[in-house]
Amino acid sequence: MGAPKQLLPFGESTIVETVVDNMLGAKFDEVIVVVGHHASDVQEQLGTRPIKTVFNPDYREGMLTSAQTGIRALEASDAFALMLVDQPFITSTLIDQVVDAYQRTEKGIALPSYNYRRGHPVIFDQKYAIDILALTPESDGVRTLFKKYGDDIQYVTVDTDSVLRDIDYREDYERALREMGT
């Protein structure tokens, strides 16, 4: 990208601000932002938003270490969600669809599905925190739980690919800006 993607301009703000603001607008009791690379720049960009930030010293080892850092920072809760910083297309309304489905079901995992593909955010019952914390870098990450506990997943069918879309490459970013009309 040539710059940290989470700090790239997006709409009226940046990618990370858009994601965090969407989370703050959803039915979450607490938003924890795990920072690593360019941590101080990200924290500065997020300003005084009512979030908790935690530093992942192992961020170079991949997303799993960030998920684990965030889980360790959780206050007592019944459930938690995992979201990615490079998915600014996931609105508060989409997040709430998954939260509502999780609250209505007896299942321990809820996630959105678009054209039979799993997306984000993923909501987990607190009982899965131990499983995620026990995963190793050699595992297939959190996806391991989807295989192991497939019968405990509530799929929430959504009518948008926003739950799948992320910004990994310059082309993804440029396409997103074109779609926004900027």
Side-chain angles (χ1 to χ4, degrees), residues 105-179:
T105 185
E106 298 296 315
K107 305 277 186 175
I109 302 170
L111 56 84
S113 171
Y114 178 75
N115 283 348
Y116 304 100
R117 292 180 57 205
R118 289 188 300 261
H120 283 89
V122 182
I123 314 266
F124 291 95
D125 184 278
Q126 184 63 36
K127 68 184 178 185
Y128 289 116
I130 293 167
D131 289 86
I132 295 171
L133 291 173
L135 293 172
T136 63
E138 298 76 38
S139 72
D140 195 23
V142 174
R143 286 185 295 272
T144 304
L145 276 70
F146 302 153
K147 296 171 189 157
K148 186 174 182 180
Y149 301 109
D151 59 346
D152 199 26
I153 298 174
Q154 175 67 44
Y155 288 95
V156 183
T157 304
V158 297
D159 61 0
T160 175
D161 69 348
S162 297
V163 298
L164 307 175
R165 293 180 60 199
D166 56 8
I167 297 176
D168 284 333
Y169 303 103
R170 174 61 67 177
E171 299 79 37
D172 300 331
Y173 176 61
E174 291 170 357
R175 184 179 324 102
L177 293 179
R178 281 194 304 276
E179 290 172 9

Side-chain angles (χ1 to χ4, degrees), residues 37-145:
H37 191 55
H38 293 279
S40 60
D41 294 333
V42 172
Q43 287 176 288
E44 183 179 326
Q45 197 67 48
L46 292 172
T48 60
R49 286 173 174 82
I51 59 172
K52 177 194 288 187
T53 57
V54 292
F55 180 72
N56 174 13
D58 301 318
Y59 67 88
R60 288 181 185 89
E61 295 177 30
M63 282 192 297
L64 175 60
T65 64
S66 290
Q68 292 169 329
T69 298
I71 290 168
R72 283 187 206 100
L74 283 171
E75 301 293 327
S77 70
D78 296 330
F80 60 93
L82 295 178
M83 291 191 58
L84 305 175
V85 72
D86 64 355
Q87 293 190 305
F89 312 101
I90 299 175
T91 64
S92 299
T93 303
L94 276 171
I95 295 167
D96 285 345
Q97 272 185 266
V98 182
V99 170
D100 291 343
Y102 174 80
Q103 291 173 333
R104 283 192 310 269
T105 185
E106 298 296 315
K107 305 277 186 175
I109 302 170
L111 56 84
S113 171
Y114 178 75
N115 283 348
Y116 304 100
R117 292 180 57 205
R118 289 188 300 261
H120 283 89
V122 182
I123 314 266
F124 291 95
D125 184 278
Q126 184 63 36
K127 68 184 178 185
Y128 289 116
I130 293 167
D131 289 86
I132 295 171
L133 291 173
L135 293 172
T136 63
E138 298 76 38
S139 72
D140 195 23
V142 174
R143 286 185 295 272
T144 304
L145 276 70

